């Protein structure tokens, strides 16, 4: 097919049709980014910051329009879309201010007259971006990457092709040279050829573990650097001394971010038996308050799932979990009417062997798992193929910090709060949640040549 049609998940009606690039056009896009890189890498760092700051300003100016686009393309409630655009502006401002210090050469004392570590641009980076946070996932990667002197070829998920084009327009309007960021509308079968292109020097992917395995294998075969931010089934450990009311509100918020379609959403609530009933009641009350509805309505907390097939896969996971012995306390049935909606749902009595325990549930379904005590709760939290985020709730901060730092196996661990990304802190996972880091200084250094210089 030479065209891609996006679907509005709130209505399941066609939204827009886009022309797909053929293989020659995709290669030409890479070559355009390569030509721009040869000039962009020579631009002084101080002169790379103004267009990034202009991006921040444009993101704020266009936040309502961008939120409307995300709502129509993938169902994100508009209030959350506005917040996403504002967070993108923050990351742009952060790297515009901090990149120069992050890239400052580091002197090292050796026997030579002078020796130091320099950080040089790597080249063209292929960004394979998902549909769930179409603006944030791009800008959190692109802000440091562009400041480092690289250029970008952007391949978005097909159902957010309009968001990809909108990003390209914003980058252009911010004053970047033509070819600094080149959006390409292609299907997944064309990605491997782009990875092999000699001008591509690195690959970043945010997506499923299966997609990460495919892209990571292709990047490895081509000896290209890669960063993979993949799936997650984040455990939230609720200890007996937790503030149950506060924990339940934070857990409900995390579970329902982006209608439950977030890699770092809380997914497994592991509760010590002494407070399990109290937590279930509080969580049930908190979940019931969230409004399911039209993503264009600012009163909506939970919109449709991004695609009908994803909604149906989620329901099958819920159905199998209930058949395996889980108890359904809320939701669990596909509502009548148009759109790919799934209700806010709560399962309890979840055990190993059920999809709600073993798999990532990418939607508004919370799973409560009982534990005898702290030791078993931590063991259950770590009993997962994933390792993206985790949280622990306790009034004893020293206890919580010990568990978060030394015992929970994840890339991002929080105490008495839900897991979230922050431009100032490295973000990424371990195990089947991927490797490499975004954000912070570590994220900027993923796509630079860390070069040792010795003068004798």
């Amino acid at each position: 097919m030479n065209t891609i049609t996006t679907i509005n998940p709130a209505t399941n009606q066609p939204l827009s049709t886009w022309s797909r690039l053929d293989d020659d056009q995709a290669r030409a896009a890479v070559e355009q980014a390569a030509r721009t890189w040869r000039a962009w890498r020579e631009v002084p760092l101080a002169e790379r910051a103004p267009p990034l700051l202009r991006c921040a300003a444009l993101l704020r100016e266009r936040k309502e329009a961008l939120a409307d686009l995300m709502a129509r393309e993938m169902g994100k409630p508009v209030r959350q879309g506005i917040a996403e655009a504002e967070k993108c502006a923050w990351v742009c401002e952060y790297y515009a201010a901090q990149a120069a210090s992050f890239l400052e050469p580091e002197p090292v004392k050796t026997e030579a007259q002078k020796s130091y570590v320099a950080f040089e641009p790597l080249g063209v980076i292929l960004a394979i971006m998902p549909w769930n946070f179409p603006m944030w996932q791009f800008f959190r990667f692109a802000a440091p990457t562009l400041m480092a002197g690289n250029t970008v070829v952007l391949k978005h998920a097909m159902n957010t092709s309009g968001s990809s084009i909108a990003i390209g327009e914003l980058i252009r309007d911010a004053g970047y040279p033509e070819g600094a960021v080149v959006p390409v509308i292609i299907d997944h079968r064309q990605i491997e050829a782009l990875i092999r292109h000699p001008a591509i020097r690195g690959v970043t992917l945010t997506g499923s573990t299966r997609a990460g395995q495919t892209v990571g294998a292709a990047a490895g075969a081509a000896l290209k650097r890669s960063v993979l931010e993949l799936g997650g089934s984040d455990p939230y450990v609720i200890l007996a001394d937790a503030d149950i009311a506060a924990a339940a509100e934070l857990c409900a918020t995390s579970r329902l971010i982006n209608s439950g379609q977030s890699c770092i959403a809380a997914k497994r609530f592991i509760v010590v038996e002494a407070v399990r009933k109290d937590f279930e009641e509080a969580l049930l009350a908190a979940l019931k308050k969230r409004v399911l509805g039209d993503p264009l309505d600012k009163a909506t907390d939970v919109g449709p799932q991004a695609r009908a097939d994803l909604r149906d896969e989620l329901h099958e996971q819920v159905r199998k979990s209930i058949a395996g012995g889980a108890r359904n306390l809320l939701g669990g049935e596909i509502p009548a009417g148009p759109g790919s909606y799934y209700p806010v749902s709560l399962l309890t009595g979840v055990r190993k062997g059920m999809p709600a325990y073993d798999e990532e549930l990418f939607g508004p379904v919370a799973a409560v798992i009982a534990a005898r005590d702290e030791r078993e709760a931590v063991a259950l939290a770590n009993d997962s193929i994933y390792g993206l985020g985790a949280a622990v709730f306790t009034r004893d901060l020293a206890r919580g910090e010990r568990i978060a730092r030394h015992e929970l196996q994840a890339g991002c661990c929080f105490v008495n709060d839900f897991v979230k990304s922050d431009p100032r802190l490295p973000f990424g996972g371990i195990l089947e949640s991927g490797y490499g880091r975004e954000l912070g200084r570590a994220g900027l250094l993923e796509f630079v040549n860390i070069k040792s210089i010795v003068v004798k």
Side-chain angles (χ1 to χ4, degrees):
M1 291 178 61
N2 293 322
T3 60
I4 292 168
T5 299
T6 54
I7 303 296
N8 183 336
T11 63
N12 285 345
Q13 296 300 309
L15 184 63
S16 301
T17 298
W18 305 93
S19 296
R20 181 177 65 83
L21 301 186
D22 62 27
D23 293 346
D24 289 338
Q25 291 170 318
R27 282 193 295 271
V30 174
E31 287 153 11
Q32 180 189 26
R35 288 192 299 271
T36 301
W37 173 70
R38 287 191 282 273
W40 181 246
R41 70 189 301 271
E42 302 297 335
V43 173
L45 256 168
E47 295 177 24
R48 296 177 197 160
L52 192 57
L53 291 173
R54 180 62 179 154
C55 275
L58 289 173
L59 283 158
R60 290 195 172 95
E61 288 176 17
R62 300 177 184 181
K63 62 185 179 183
E64 298 274 356
L66 294 172
D68 183 88
L69 175 60
M70 289 186 278
R72 294 179 190 279
E73 281 200 314
M74 47 72 59
K76 186 186 299 290
V78 288
R79 280 190 293 112
Q80 296 179 30
I82 290 168
E84 181 171 336
E86 290 173 340
K87 190 172 183 180
C88 292
W90 177 25
V91 79
C92 290
E93 291 167 343
Y94 175 77
Y95 281 106
Q98 299 298 326
S101 63
F102 288 164
L103 293 168
E104 186 73 21
E106 296 176 355
V108 179
K109 187 176 179 60
T110 69
E111 296 78 11
Q113 179 180 342
K114 181 191 289 187
S115 50
Y116 59 95
V117 179
F119 306 96
E120 296 293 310
L122 203 59
V124 182
I125 310 301
L126 174 61
I128 305 167
M129 295 286 104
W131 50 261
N132 59 339
F133 291 90
M135 299 294 157
W136 171 245
Q137 304 283 15
F138 171 75
F139 279 100
R140 78 179 187 187
F141 148 76
T145 299
L146 291 167
M147 282 300 297
N150 301 306
T151 58
V152 176
V153 171
L154 168 61
K155 189 270 184 245
H156 245 111
M158 288 190 290
N159 60 322
T160 49
S161 294
S163 294
S164 183
I165 298 304
I167 286 171
E169 292 171 350
L170 191 148
I171 291 289
R172 180 200 64 209
D173 294 347
Y176 278 97
E178 195 72 24
V181 173
V182 186
V184 294
I185 296 179
I186 59 175
D187 67 33
H188 66 276
R189 293 168 295 183
Q190 297 171 280
I191 290 174
E192 190 170 345
L194 288 194
I195 293 173
R196 291 196 304 266
H197 193 293
I200 295 292
R201 301 293 177 82
V203 185
T204 184
L205 173 136
T206 299
S208 69
T209 296
R210 183 170 56 194
Q213 290 168 334
T214 301
V215 168
L223 299 179
K224 306 290 177 72
R225 189 176 302 183
S226 60
V227 171
L228 305 177
E229 196 264 278
L230 309 178
S233 186
D234 287 13
Y236 279 37
V237 173
I238 316 298
L239 298 180
D241 66 342
D243 181 335
I244 297 299
E249 284 293 332
L250 288 165
C251 289
T253 297
S254 179
R255 175 61 285 204
L256 299 180
I257 288 173
N258 198 38
S259 308
Q261 300 166 116
S262 170
C263 296
I264 53 167
K267 298 190 175 82
R268 295 179 295 134
F269 300 99
I270 300 168
V271 191
V272 296
E273 186 59 46
V275 294
R276 179 190 55 78
K277 184 176 180 181
D278 290 343
F279 178 78
E280 281 180 356
E281 291 175 354
L283 181 60
L284 179 62
L287 293 172
K288 282 182 174 180
K289 291 189 297 186
R290 271 52 177 192
V291 177
L292 176 73
D294 182 354
L296 293 171
D297 186 340
K298 288 188 176 180
T300 294
D301 299 306
V302 180
Q305 301 299 278
R307 299 196 313 261
D309 62 309
L310 298 175
R311 188 270 311 271
D312 294 344
E313 288 174 16
L314 175 66
H315 183 58
E316 184 67 7
Q317 290 173 304
V318 170
R319 191 192 65 77
K320 287 182 177 179
S321 296
I322 294 171
R327 290 189 296 118
N328 183 27
L329 300 183
L330 180 68
E333 294 294 338
I334 295 175
S340 300
Y341 288 93
Y342 200 78
V344 176
S345 303
L346 176 59
L347 302 178
T348 190
V350 172
R351 300 186 304 276
K352 193 174 182 67
M354 301 176 184
Y357 183 104
D358 299 327
E359 302 171 10
E360 179 179 25
L361 269 59
F362 213 62
V365 181
V368 174
I369 301 166
R372 290 186 300 272
D373 51 25
E374 174 189 316
R375 183 175 180 179
E376 185 181 38
V378 171
L380 291 171
N382 291 333
D383 185 25
S384 174
I385 62 174
Y386 298 108
L388 189 54
V392 57
F393 289 83
T394 172
R395 286 187 169 90
D396 185 339
L397 297 187
R399 180 190 196 189
E401 184 177 356
R402 168 181 55 80
I403 292 169
R405 181 175 179 182
H406 297 295
E407 299 180 27
L408 292 175
Q409 297 174 11
C412 308
C413 295
F414 283 54
V415 179
N416 295 331
D417 200 0
F418 62 86
V419 177
K420 62 197 80 170
S421 57
D422 183 315
R424 299 163 294 188
L425 294 169
F427 178 85
I430 60 173
L431 306 174
E432 291 192 20
S433 290
Y435 54 75
R437 291 296 180 264
E438 295 182 295
L439 303 176
R441 185 170 187 251
L444 186 147
L445 297 183
E446 287 286 0
F447 293 114
V448 297
N449 178 12
I450 300 176
K451 183 187 292 186
S452 296
I453 306 296
V454 178
V455 180
K456 194 166 184 179

